[in-house]
Amino acid sequence: DHLVISEVQVKGSSSHDDEFIELYNPTASGVSLSGWSIQYKSATGTTYIKYNLPADTIPSHGFYLIARTSYYTGSTTPDTTQSAFALGSTGGNIYLCDSTTTLTGCSDASIVDKLGYGTGNCPETSAATVHDWSESMERKPGASDPDGGNGTDTDDNSDDFQINTSPGPQNS
């Protein structure tokens, strides 16, 4: 019933290349990103770094691709690029927020979805396994989603995400 972080790649063939965050809309209506942000906190850090999303809309059962400026070399055109933060290759915490206010804690009410991975210290229940070089962490398909999109959300990152050996970032 809400947008989710659906696929993340933190390292391509070398550190930080092909870095991306993909969002998915499993709902029956388009969702405007006006006033939303993606925020990042290192694995054990206390500082939250924010990127305010453009006022784009993710269509129903659609995807949205956020790539790191100058570090994404994939063939899928990103919907937006950000240079606010670099994702940690061994662990970190990514937050999708329905606010542009910088987070002060990992349980803030504006957090719509979050992914703690590897050594990340603020996952939903337990952290997802970090992927190896040129792989990604991809949310499992939602059982009730007619399009088979990546909508599973049990609030346990280790159960919701699996390693994808052939990353396939998707845009809107």
Side-chain angles (χ1 to χ4, degrees):
D1 64 351
H2 59 86
L3 297 181
V4 294
I5 299 165
S6 59
E7 186 174 6
V8 173
Q9 182 167 306
V10 300
K11 52 190 173 184
S13 58
S14 65
S15 184
H16 300 300
D17 75 333
D18 278 351
E19 188 175 299
F20 68 83
I21 300 169
E22 177 192 273
L23 306 178
Y24 177 65
N25 178 4
T27 72
S29 300
V31 175
S32 172
L33 295 175
S34 180
W36 287 58
S37 63
I38 284 284
Q39 301 193 35
Y40 175 77
K41 181 178 81 69
S42 67
T44 59
T46 57
T47 302
Y48 294 82
I49 305 167
K50 168 181 67 110
Y51 169 69
N52 293 335
L53 293 165
D56 295 334
T57 297
I58 304 178
S60 171
H61 304 286
F63 294 89
Y64 191 83
L65 186 59
I66 305 160
R68 183 162 172 233
T69 308
S70 302
Y71 287 89
Y72 175 76
T73 58
S75 60
T76 303
T77 303
D79 293 296
T80 189
T81 58
Q82 64 84 22
S83 60
F85 54 81
L87 300 172
S89 62
T90 59
N93 304 279
I94 303 168
Y95 306 88
L96 173 61
C97 303
D98 63 4
S99 167
T100 57
T101 302
T102 302
L103 296 172
T104 58
C106 62
S107 58
D108 188 282
S110 70
I111 299 171
V112 175
D113 193 31
K114 65 180 173 177
L115 168 61
Y117 62 93
T119 56
N121 66 352
C122 194
E124 290 181 330
T125 307
S126 51
T129 301
V130 70
H131 64 84
D132 204 351
W133 300 102
S134 298
E135 296 178 338
S136 67
M137 296 167 285
E138 185 170 35
R139 190 176 290 269
K140 294 175 182 173
S144 62
D145 190 335
D147 298 318
N150 306 59
T152 293
D153 192 4
T154 66
D155 291 331
D156 186 339
N157 292 153
S158 67
D159 285 340
D160 292 346
F161 284 83
Q162 59 195 359
I163 300 298
N164 182 350
T165 58
S166 298
Q170 299 171 77
N171 60 15
S172 61

